Amino acid sequence: MPNWLNDAVFYEIYPQSFYDSNGDGIGDINGIIEKLDYVKGLGCNAIWLNPVYDSPFMDAGYDVRNYKQVAARYGTNDDLVNLFNEAHKKGIKILLDLVPGHTSDTHPWFLEAKKAAESEYSNRYIFTQNVWDAPPEYRMMCGICERNGNYMVNYFSSQPALNYGFYEITHPEWQLPCDHPDCLATVEAIKDVMRFWLDKGADGFRVDMADSLVKNDDEKIATAKIWRGVREMLDEEYPEAAMVSEWCSPDRAINNAGFHMDFYLDHFGNGYNILSRCGDWGDKAVFNPNGKVNIKAFADEYLPAYERSKDNGYISYMTNNHDMPRITAYLDKKAIKLFNAFIFTMPGVPFLYYGDELGMRYQKDLVSKEGGFSRTGSRTPMQWNSGKNLGFSTSDEPYLPVDTSADAPTVENQQNDEDSIYKVVTDIIALRHKYDDLKGNGELEFVYEEGKIPFFYRRGSLVMFFNPLGVESEIKTSYNGEKIYELGNTEFADGKIKMSPQSFVMIKIN
């Protein structure tokens, strides 16, 4: 386990929307380099960079045309290496986004695979035996190739699925076993991509759809075996490199597959969803002041998963990401402050989505851009100042429109605002770095009364108390001590803590 992960706080950057350094309307790598001091100022010492590879951008870069080439709109390979170098000078690690499950249908591998003539790439993707064979249980593109067969896609029609084989073979005439040489060659091809960027200075990868490799693998046994082999490669050749999975199953991703981190994703009714997004736009979430949910529902899922995986890796909370509406669509300002205090004081390795430190808004009525659809409103440009396009770009046609509200939050108007979300985020991250008890693998004691809110948890000598409710509340506690950080008003007396509406306090126990 790379030691740096224990004190890591990540910042997710959507490159096309972060900062445009050359005025063409699209964020770029040099723009990220210019803003590294800002990232460091947040307290973030690592970056997850969404895809910057060459792509036709049917899915915002998650349709890769060339894994080893930076897309021209972002810069060059040399620019990306320069980003690695400049970030490292400032103590910042960089994870690239790895897309191993599919490529673009314009990738050279696929252009060869779709030909009638056989080649080394004929089995790099999953084709049926002939064009009349299109089993309804799979997503298939039918009748559009020179080759006599239909091919499987993972999601969009422009994303043919790479072939890692089938765990359970139901159509032996065209499904290959996982240990077939051509399926193993796909694994080696992805390892080759990883080595290419690790050798250039990348510090690891966030892995897109990490559980999607092997088909008919309901328990993800064969898929986990592939990633365990990748982990063994990293341990031997790149021991300081790290991987975080888009999986949301710590038992499978961390314990079985060997990922260093696994994202706690927003899945309907799961623990993360219950915290912040449950119900009709969050009206039943733990951090909603209406308080319609039971904290036990979160704890019953999270705590056992944490106990089972904590010795092998980290569950990663995130403020948001590029695939879901921003938290401002669900919670009010006070609730968002508490949610951030929670995320950055829990165990694991936390991820801050660009702009969440400002309280950037979800723009729900935007027309889809590059396959974003409902996600487009969370991918709008970073809001830096009161200038043109709120400081993102000098172009008359930015990648997406910025918030046109008179009170649009920007770095300029939030950084020095004592009542801002920015203030809370940076304060809590600073405390996380200051106190070893708040780091990734510190202990956790989680306490609540019969599922009621408020609740608290202890991490070593520090105890965090939360009252997300819109009314004054109290909870029994044997803990007391020095107040380290407070939102709202809290009072300890007679074995209880009385908390004002939507309040939080961190204490250092005696």
Side-chain angles (χ1 to χ4, degrees), residues 484-502:
I484 302 297
Y485 195 80
E486 188 176 37
L487 297 170
N489 298 297
T490 59
E491 180 183 341
F492 290 83
D494 303 323
K496 295 180 179 179
I497 175 175
K498 189 176 294 184
M499 307 186 72
S500 65
Q502 292 184 283

Side-chain angles (χ1 to χ4, degrees), residues 105 109-116 127 144-148:
D105 58 5
W109 296 345
F110 188 72
L111 297 181
E112 289 300 314
K114 66 192 287 189
K115 293 179 179 178
F127 280 81
I144 60 174
C145 293
E146 174 184 289
R147 177 175 176 173
N148 183 18

Side-chain angles (χ1 to χ4, degrees), residues 38 41-42 333 337 357-358 383-385 409-427:
Y38 171 78
L42 293 170
K333 183 177 178 181
K337 289 180 179 181
E357 71 275 19
L358 309 178
Q383 298 166 188
W384 296 101
N385 56 48
T410 66
V411 173
E412 183 180 62
N413 65 31
Q414 297 294 296
Q415 268 188 324
N416 298 314
D417 180 355
E418 290 296 309
D419 188 44
S420 66
I421 293 170
Y422 179 95
K423 178 75 164 58
V424 173
V425 168
T426 52
D427 283 352

Side-chain angles (χ1 to χ4, degrees), residues 243-271:
M243 295 191 299
V244 57
S245 58
E246 184 188 29
W247 198 317
C248 197
S249 176
D251 280 327
R252 291 176 176 177
I254 295 173
N255 295 343
N256 297 343
F259 279 90
H260 303 89
M261 301 167 278
D262 181 41
F263 278 129
Y264 206 177
L265 300 169
D266 179 34
H267 291 167
F268 179 76
N270 78 343

